[in-house]
Amino acid sequence: MDRYFGAIGYAISKRDGDICTEEIEERNYYGDILRANRRLVSSQDSSIDNIVVANRISIVADPFAMNNYYAIRYAVFHGVPCKVNSVELQYPRLILELGGKYNA
């Protein structure tokens, strides 16, 4: 099993008077790569194949991660920020299901 070290991006709500905004806060975590998967999906409507990414990583969560798992937006995987499609709680770890590239 391969090891993981990278940044996890959280969308943290900040309130300034009556205005509420989301700011991304990054924190680094260690963990394991459970699955690294990429496949091409052919489309009948297009001659261009789509790339579907379905990676899973397991990170060792600190108290911040456990309390803010709902705010996780992306994980940096091989230098590319990837959307986090789902988070599974398995204390003391979080299992992150990654999707396509994250665009802020």
Side-chain angles (χ1 to χ4, degrees):
M1 187 176 326
D2 292 330
R3 303 290 293 159
Y4 172 81
F5 176 77
I8 305 294
Y10 296 85
I12 304 298
S13 295
K14 303 286 183 180
R15 182 174 215 133
D16 185 21
D18 292 335
I19 298 171
C20 190
T21 60
E22 283 188 346
E23 294 179 8
I24 298 294
E25 180 177 330
E26 283 190 351
R27 292 180 174 233
N28 291 316
Y29 292 94
Y30 288 95
D32 299 311
I33 299 171
L34 302 177
R35 179 179 67 213
N37 185 11
R38 174 197 77 60
R39 63 186 164 98
L40 291 174
V41 176
S42 298
S43 173
Q44 294 178 356
D45 299 333
S46 174
S47 61
I48 300 172
D49 291 337
N50 292 322
I51 296 175
V52 177
V53 178
N55 299 324
R56 280 174 60 101
I57 60 173
S58 169
I59 61 168
V60 179
D62 60 5
F64 181 85
M66 287 307 240
N67 292 329
N68 295 285
Y69 68 90
Y70 60 87
I72 295 174
R73 296 294 185 261
Y74 67 87
V76 178
F77 187 76
H78 293 294
V80 177
C82 297
K83 289 185 280 189
V84 174
N85 292 334
S86 68
V87 178
E88 182 181 333
L89 295 133
Q90 289 186 358
Y91 188 81
R93 292 180 167 267
L94 295 177
I95 310 297
L96 308 179
E97 182 87 31
L98 307 182
K101 187 175 177 184
Y102 177 80
N103 294 314

